[in-house]
Amino acid sequence: MKLVKLIKLNNLQYNLNRDPEVYRRPVNQEFRLQALLNGSGSAKARFEAEGKVLGEATVNLPGTFECKFSYDTAGTRVGKLVIEGNGETFRQNIRIDVTEHAWIG
């Protein structure tokens, strides 16, 4: 059984092949990252970007790691999600796109 069942960004399943437009948020709007975890015992989860820890928790398994964050400047960042539990280490880069303004149209 895999430790990480599902990764969600802004309530959508995270998929590298999906158009990144669906995950974008404007400046100062909150992003929501979730990792749905399997297994027993506990797992340590951490999400960081640009050298800053945006969320860190110990999760009782099965359970969900959740982290909310926003940025006050536009740009593309790459966050690192690391989850350790059940003798397994899961790593995933998450692309975070912040736009200057909300899309109008």
Side-chain angles (χ1 to χ4, degrees):
M1 178 169 33
K2 288 167 54 177
L3 174 62
V4 177
K5 189 165 41 176
L6 182 67
I7 307 268
K8 291 166 94 178
L9 183 61
N10 302 331
N11 297 322
L12 290 170
Q13 181 173 349
Y14 189 73
N15 181 337
L16 293 172
N17 298 322
R18 181 179 269 164
D19 180 357
E21 178 68 40
V22 299
Y23 303 115
R24 287 189 182 122
R25 289 287 184 262
V27 168
N28 293 325
Q29 190 174 342
E30 191 172 76
F31 283 84
R32 181 173 179 218
L33 176 70
Q34 294 172 292
L36 283 64
L37 309 176
N38 276 319
S40 58
S42 66
K44 290 177 69 164
R46 188 174 76 241
F47 183 66
E48 60 182 60
E50 299 184 314
K52 289 166 76 175
V53 175
L54 301 173
E56 194 167 27
T58 299
V59 179
N60 291 324
L61 301 177
T64 301
F65 168 69
E66 182 172 280
C67 158
K68 295 179 181 179
F69 55 93
S70 62
Y71 285 98
D72 56 8
T73 57
T76 298
R77 296 152 176 98
V78 176
K80 289 189 182 93
L81 176 64
V82 179
I83 300 169
E84 298 170 333
N86 289 344
E88 190 183 324
T89 300
F90 173 90
R91 296 174 202 279
Q92 169 98 41
N93 287 340
I94 308 284
R95 179 176 162 164
I96 304 163
D97 283 317
V98 182
T99 58
E100 198 67 53
H101 306 284
W103 188 74
I104 301 166

